[in-house]
Amino acid sequence: MISLLKKIFGLGPTVNYAELVQQGAIIIDVRSKAEFTGGHIKGAINIPVNVLSNQLGQLKDKNKTIITCCASGMRSASAKSILKSNGFTSVHNGGGWSSLQSKL
């Protein structure tokens, strides 16, 4: 029961995003192209969440660590679910891109 509550409320071990990136993780920004153009994390790949399912071929290694981000964390949570359901093994929801940037 406690583990379920932790999962629901996002509690538990914190993710060291800077370390993941240093180890080769890629950041996928799932906002629209216009939002991405207005500002993004350097090196992030822009694949809007509404086309992610059709663009999975861009992500060749399903074992590579992926961090998703968007404006607030809602679309990146959806993107994480899409990736996990398509066999990607190490996916983290980084939440809002500006917040994630401060953690790198």
Side-chain angles (χ1 to χ4, degrees):
M1 182 67 159
I2 291 176
S3 63
L4 176 63
L5 290 173
K6 285 183 177 183
K7 187 173 185 175
I8 291 171
F9 293 105
L11 303 173
T14 57
V15 177
N16 185 335
Y17 294 106
E19 187 175 307
L20 291 177
V21 170
Q22 288 172 350
Q23 294 171 354
I26 58 172
I27 298 171
I28 300 177
D29 189 320
V30 298
R31 297 175 298 149
S32 70
K33 184 176 175 81
E35 288 174 292
F36 185 79
T37 301
H40 59 271
I41 296 171
K42 185 178 179 183
I45 299 167
N46 180 224
I47 307 175
V49 71
N50 61 322
V51 299
L52 181 59
S53 294
N54 298 326
Q55 301 293 320
L56 295 175
Q58 289 185 28
L59 310 169
K60 300 184 182 4
D61 183 357
K62 290 189 175 190
N63 295 312
K64 187 160 186 76
T65 301
I66 297 172
I67 303 168
T68 60
C69 68
C70 62
S72 67
M74 295 297 292
R75 288 177 283 181
S76 56
S78 295
K80 176 183 176 180
S81 294
I82 292 168
L83 292 166
K84 293 291 271 184
S85 68
N86 280 280
F88 289 84
T89 59
S90 180
V91 185
H92 301 273
N93 178 0
W97 77 273
S98 58
S99 171
L100 176 60
Q101 184 169 263
S102 71
K103 297 173 185 170
L104 301 175

